[in-house]
Amino acid sequence: MTAAHDFDEMVDLLALSRPFERSAGMNMACKIATLPLREAITLVVEDWADDKFRQLSAVIVRQSAPAIRSFDEIRYLYEKAEIAPAT
């Protein structure tokens, strides 16, 4: 988690479906939006704060690096983004 992140990089925000929404046990992901990384992590941490399942099932897909699948890493980036100046 020490790599530099471009908070303006465009990413895809996905949300895994809830267990009761899955058909035949499939693990489905639904694209929510394409946003700058800064906005995607803010959406997950702030706007989804009242839905812990949704926070934990968030996946951020980046072109520059592996996908972010951990809510702990999303929270870490959120804290880091608050310190980093917006461009």
Side-chain angles (χ1 to χ4, degrees), residues 2-78:
T2 59
H5 291 85
D6 176 2
F7 290 109
D8 296 318
E9 174 185 7
M10 295 303 287
V11 299
D12 289 330
L13 175 60
L14 310 177
L16 301 177
S17 62
R18 296 179 188 272
F20 59 84
E21 294 172 345
R22 296 183 192 142
S23 61
M26 296 178 62
N27 191 8
M28 303 292 289
C30 156
K31 182 176 175 181
I32 303 300
T34 299
L35 304 162
L37 178 59
R38 181 183 308 271
E39 291 180 31
I41 58 180
T42 299
L43 178 68
V44 172
V45 173
E46 292 180 4
D47 293 356
W48 295 0
D50 62 341
D51 189 339
K52 295 301 180 195
F53 179 87
R54 197 168 190 189
Q55 283 183 320
L56 294 173
S57 68
V59 176
I60 297 174
V61 179
R62 303 176 289 172
Q63 297 297 317
S64 66
I68 302 168
R69 299 180 181 278
S70 161
F71 181 61
D72 289 337
E73 186 173 0
I74 293 171
R75 268 197 326 232
Y76 169 80
L77 290 174
Y78 175 77

